[in-house]
Amino acid sequence: MKLPQSWSDITVEQFIELSTLDTTGGSYSYNSEALSVLCDIPLEDIEDIDIEDMSDLMQELDFTKSQPKNSFKNELLDLTIKPIGKLTLYEYIDLEHYFANDYVKNLAIIAGIRYKHTEVDKFSNLIYEPYSYSPKDRQDLFLELPVTEVYGLINEFLQYRDKFLKTYENLFNPEGEEDLTPKEKLEMDPEEVKEIEQTKKSTKWSWELMIYNLCGGDLTKYEALGELPLVLVFNTVSYTHLTLPTNREV
């Protein structure tokens, strides 16, 4: 049995599978499944290993108890990483979505959003392809790569998102938008409470509403808006005093 020696020997797909293993069935069960994933061998070939030998094998995989190094490659598979400061509106919205829905499980999809085909124009500027594709169609490209080549994308986005939300904190948390208190809810009709909360949710949490307002209800402008730089869009929202969401369902 050939054991991986470090995270660089483990693929994105194996890393994702490892993160989804059930930890409630006992250590031997978990260790067996982990060995099956990390060594890419059938589970039935592992089940006959005795507890002592299993313990010795897992000691050699002790590095998996810590996370991979926070790094990523700028170029992979003839694709180039798009700097996080150059994200478009739709790229950011989709990254928010996939991070909120388990960024480890969605790591290959996240990479599909960040890595782009590029070309150089006549002025020697690097041009990134437009975000007109589904990142899910590209996830298979990244699954067989070492996890160390893309894992740093997670921390980079989380740090960027934290700074970004603080910069536009007044937009995400506008004054006068406090939730109803328990006392207020008791004094109101249940249907009235439901209507108020649904209205607030629609106003505060809908990316679609923000896009609709920025486009003036013109559906033909949606695609062009989505390709605009994220910071430009949010600065525009600052001028127009629109309320922003913190997540998007796609």
Side-chain angles (χ1 to χ4, degrees):
M1 182 183 300
K2 185 177 180 180
L3 298 176
Q5 300 301 303
S6 68
W7 280 118
S8 61
D9 296 326
I10 295 173
T11 67
V12 171
E13 185 172 27
Q14 288 173 317
F15 181 73
I16 293 172
E17 288 184 39
L18 191 65
S19 72
T20 62
L21 294 182
D22 183 9
T23 59
T24 64
S27 60
Y28 186 87
S29 176
Y30 173 82
N31 291 341
S32 296
E33 293 185 16
L35 280 174
S36 175
V37 169
L38 296 176
C39 298
D40 195 24
I41 57 178
L43 184 60
E44 54 266 26
D45 292 348
I46 295 174
E47 291 177 338
D48 292 333
I49 299 176
D50 62 43
I51 294 178
E52 185 176 342
D53 289 339
M54 177 71 75
S55 178
D56 292 340
L57 290 171
M58 293 308 296
Q59 284 184 1
E60 295 188 48
L61 295 172
D62 197 53
F63 68 87
T64 61
K65 294 180 180 178
S66 60
Q67 295 299 306
K69 185 178 179 180
N70 279 315
S71 62
F72 57 84
K73 288 194 173 181
N74 289 325
E75 296 185 357
L76 288 173
L77 307 169
D78 295 324
L79 301 171
T80 302
I81 190 77
K82 186 174 185 179
I84 199 162
K86 294 186 177 182
L87 289 175
T88 64
L89 175 63
Y90 283 175
E91 288 167 343
Y92 178 83
I93 289 175
D94 282 352
L95 284 169
E96 276 272 16
H97 170 73
Y98 289 114
F99 267 78
N101 285 276
D102 192 336
Y103 50 74
V104 171
K105 181 180 178 181
N106 293 318
L107 182 55
I109 299 176
I110 290 167
I113 297 174
R114 294 295 308 281
Y115 286 92
K116 310 284 187 181
H117 293 291
T118 59
E119 63 180 14
V120 178
D121 66 15
K122 63 181 180 180
F123 301 109
S124 299
N125 296 311
L126 188 64
I127 307 300
Y128 296 90
E129 68 175 308
Y131 187 46
S132 57
Y133 60 89
S134 170
K136 290 183 179 180
D137 293 339
R138 292 189 177 179
Q139 63 178 318
D140 288 347
L141 297 175
F142 299 94
L143 289 175
E144 295 305 315
L145 294 178
V147 67
T148 50
E149 296 190 353
V150 296
Y151 183 77
L153 297 177
I154 294 174
N155 189 56
E156 185 195 36
F157 181 78
L158 292 175
Q159 289 185 348
Y160 178 81
R161 180 183 184 274
D162 183 59
K163 292 178 181 178
F164 187 80
L165 294 181
K166 287 180 180 178
T167 299
Y168 295 96
E169 184 175 11
N170 62 315
L171 299 176
F172 286 98
N173 299 289
E175 295 182 3
E177 289 292 331
E178 296 181 359
D179 294 332
L180 293 173
T181 65
K183 182 179 179 181
E184 289 174 328
K185 290 181 179 180
L186 288 173
E187 295 173 349
M188 297 170 64
D189 181 88
E191 288 301 318
E192 186 179 4
V193 173
K194 182 178 180 181
E195 182 178 348
I196 290 175
E197 291 184 339
Q198 286 180 339
T199 299
K200 284 188 175 182
K201 182 178 180 181
S202 174
T203 301
K204 188 175 181 180
W205 306 105
S206 172
W207 283 107
E208 287 75 11
L209 180 61
M210 183 197 76
I211 294 168
Y212 177 87
N213 288 336
L214 284 173
C215 293
D218 187 347
L219 296 176
T220 64
K221 297 179 181 179
Y222 277 34
E223 183 175 349
L225 175 66
E227 284 297 322
L228 290 177
L230 174 68
V231 173
L232 172 62
V233 173
F234 272 62
N235 285 340
T236 300
V237 172
S238 298
Y239 305 147
T240 56
H241 305 291
L242 291 176
T243 301
L244 295 180
T246 59
N247 205 342
R248 176 205 184 197
E249 291 298 326
V250 294

